């Protein structure tokens, strides 16, 4: 696993949360990339983020699809896994994708709105 501080900075504004036998990554909805969600008619809710993450997982990281799980709510995106290395791999790739605005807009065009 990447060293704590640099990894946490790398995935910010996503937040890594350790649990006893798993880990999760959360994000407060309606802030990060909100302009992209707005432009495509999405609220930017946790469910919208989950829809975007599912498209990314299906199309770009299907190798992780059996290990990655979602538990989002309206105000919070949440992804979790017992396999913390798989989750770390997923969130690093997803965060990198989020920084590529044209790419993330394309993915969002195939997501289901909340």
């Amino acid at each position: 696993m990447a060293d704590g501080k640099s990894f946490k900075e790398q995935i910010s504004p996503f937040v890594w949360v350790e649990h006893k036998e798993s880990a999760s990554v959360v994000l407060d909805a309606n802030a990060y990339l909100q302009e992209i969600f707005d432009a495509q008619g999405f609220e930017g809710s946790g469910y919208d983020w989950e829809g975007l993450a599912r498209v990314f997982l299906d199309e770009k990281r299907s190798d992780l699809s059996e290990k990655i799980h979602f538990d989002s709510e309206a105000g919070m995106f949440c992804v979790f896994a017992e396999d913390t290395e798989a989750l770390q791999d997923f969130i690093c790739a997803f965060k990198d994708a989020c920084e590529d605005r044209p790419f993330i807009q394309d993915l969002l065009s195939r997501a289901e709105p909340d």
Side-chain angles (χ1 to χ4, degrees), residues 5 7 20 26 48 56 66 98 107 113:
K5 189 171 183 181
F7 168 69
K20 190 173 184 174
V26 296
D48 290 340
F56 176 79
E66 296 296 316
C98 288
L107 286 181

Side-chain angles (χ1 to χ4, degrees), residues 29-31 34 37-38 40-49 74 113-114:
N30 304 105
Q34 188 60 45
F37 285 99
D38 290 344
Q40 296 208 25
F42 287 82
E43 289 180 22
S45 70
Y47 301 120
D48 290 340
W49 270 100
D114 176 32

Side-chain angles (χ1 to χ4, degrees), residues 12 17-18 27 37 43 67 71 84:
S12 180
V17 181
E18 292 279 341
L27 173 73
F37 285 99
E43 289 180 22
K67 298 177 180 181
D71 189 24
T84 57

Side-chain angles (χ1 to χ4, degrees), residues 33 35-43 48-56 59-60 94 97 100-114:
L33 301 181
E35 68 281 0
I36 292 174
F37 285 99
D38 290 344
Q40 296 208 25
F42 287 82
E43 289 180 22
D48 290 340
W49 270 100
E50 181 174 323
L52 176 62
R54 286 181 183 277
V55 172
F56 176 79
E59 294 184 10
K60 300 298 178 186
F94 185 56
D100 181 344
R101 301 300 169 103
F103 176 73
I104 212 69
Q105 288 172 323
D106 181 55
L107 286 181
L108 189 57
S109 74
R110 293 187 296 286
E112 295 291 323
D114 176 32

